[in-house]
């Protein structure tokens, strides 16, 4: 058993426990292996371990992995996407996790060859260092996307602050869940908004307890990224 396989088993055990605590079904939570900056070889180990959702945050890294990995993979773009790089990314991914401005939506509309599943990124904690819409602006932004025929808002995404304070982390995730439910109840044709992308290596258990349907796990699964670059 490889280190990746061992890590995955440990993560799944913790996920299952978090689902029990949150009174949720573990089949409703998907692991995205964040393979940004790690080698193709390590990424192939992730695929061999059974993970079928991979996350990249740079066009160059995405292309390198796409060229090397031929398995049936769902590709997630999880980083900030510059408008000028939409053309090289949008038709190579299944999910975009960082839709946060109309200029990006306009470029996706122009460049996408099919409807793209997008998460609207929300900066729930209002951190200056992070991208995303303010919590109070996100609902209006989702509604503004109605006229973009190539965009389907399947959910919301956020990142919690890097803190040991579990109450702070839990509050961020809980606030996003409340917003997701509010939007979902409106049954907007262009924005079913049933999904929540939240939780990373250090806080995915809390995120699952609070309703995450996609968790983005890097270091806990693939190891320390920079050490694995080839």
């Amino acid at each position: 058993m490889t280190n990746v396989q061992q890590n995955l088993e440990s993560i799944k055990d913790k996920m299952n426990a978090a689902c029990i605590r949150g009174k949720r079904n573990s089949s409703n939570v998907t692991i995205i292996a964040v393979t940004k900056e790690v080698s193709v070889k390590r990424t192939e180990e992730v695929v061999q371990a059974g993970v079928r959702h991979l996350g990249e945050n740079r066009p160059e890294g995405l292309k390198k992995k796409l060229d090397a990995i031929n398995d049936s993979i769902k590709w997630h773009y999880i980083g900030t996407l510059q408008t000028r790089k939409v053309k090289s990314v949008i038709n190579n991914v299944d999910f975009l996790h960082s839709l946060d401005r109309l200029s990006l939506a306009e470029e996706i509309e122009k460049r996408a060859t099919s409807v793209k599943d997008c998460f609207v990124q929300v900066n729930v904690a209002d951190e200056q260092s992070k991208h995303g819409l303010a919590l109070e602006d996100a609902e209006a932004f989702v509604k503004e996307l109605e006229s973009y025929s190539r965009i389907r808002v399947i959910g919301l995404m956020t990142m919690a602050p890097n803190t040991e304070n579990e109450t702070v982390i839990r509050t961020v995730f809980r606030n996003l869940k409340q917003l997701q439910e509010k939007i979902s109840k409106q049954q907007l044709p262009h924005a079913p908004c049933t999904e929540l992308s939240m939780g990373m290596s250090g806080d995915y258990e809390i995120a699952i307890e609070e309703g995450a349907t996609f968790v983005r796990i890097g270091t806990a699964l693939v190891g320390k990224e920079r050490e694995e670059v080839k």
Side-chain angles (χ1 to χ4, degrees), residues 23-89:
K23 297 179 181 178
R24 302 186 58 208
N25 190 323
S26 61
S27 65
N28 294 327
V29 184
T30 299
I31 296 173
I32 302 169
V34 179
T35 53
K36 62 179 187 179
E37 298 181 14
V38 306
S39 66
V40 169
K41 181 178 181 295
R42 178 52 60 99
T43 304
E44 288 172 338
E45 290 179 21
V46 172
V47 174
Q48 289 164 6
V51 179
R52 287 291 177 269
H53 290 257
L54 303 182
E56 290 287 326
N57 73 335
R58 293 182 302 120
E60 301 80 11
L62 174 65
K63 185 179 186 306
K64 185 177 180 181
K65 304 288 171 51
L66 279 167
D67 289 344
I69 297 173
N70 298 316
D71 294 79
S72 179
I73 297 299
K74 294 292 187 182
W75 293 96
H76 298 250
Y77 197 86
I78 58 173
T80 298
L81 182 56
Q82 296 177 0
T83 306
R84 63 186 176 87
K85 293 187 176 181
V86 168
K87 184 178 179 180
S88 64
V89 168

Side-chain angles (χ1 to χ4, degrees), residues 68-159:
I69 297 173
N70 298 316
D71 294 79
S72 179
I73 297 299
K74 294 292 187 182
W75 293 96
H76 298 250
Y77 197 86
I78 58 173
T80 298
L81 182 56
Q82 296 177 0
T83 306
R84 63 186 176 87
K85 293 187 176 181
V86 168
K87 184 178 179 180
S88 64
V89 168
I90 200 63
N91 292 310
N92 290 320
V93 297
D94 300 283
F95 301 89
L96 174 68
H97 289 246
S98 50
L99 180 55
D100 62 354
R101 59 198 188 279
L102 286 178
S103 60
L104 178 57
E106 289 164 4
E107 193 66 16
I108 293 170
E109 185 74 8
K110 186 190 302 182
R111 303 295 185 181
T113 57
S114 61
V115 179
K116 287 296 166 182
D117 286 336
C118 298
F119 290 86
V120 167
Q121 183 170 351
V122 186
N123 187 352
V124 179
D126 196 24
E127 293 182 281
Q128 293 295 316
S129 61
K130 289 189 172 74
H131 292 271
L133 293 142
L135 187 66
E136 60 270 21
D137 297 333
E139 182 181 357
F141 177 75
V142 169
K143 290 179 178 178
E144 280 189 275
L145 296 172
E146 181 180 9
S147 61
Y148 294 82
S149 63
R150 299 296 171 91
I151 292 173
R152 177 168 51 229
V153 180
I154 64 164
L156 307 177
M157 183 276 257
T158 199
M159 290 179 282

Side-chain angles (χ1 to χ4, degrees), residues 184-202:
S184 179
K185 285 177 182 176
Q186 296 175 46
Q187 297 184 320
L188 304 172
H190 74 287
C193 205
T194 56
E195 310 300 324
L196 279 174
S197 171
M198 58 189 196
M200 300 188 292
S201 287

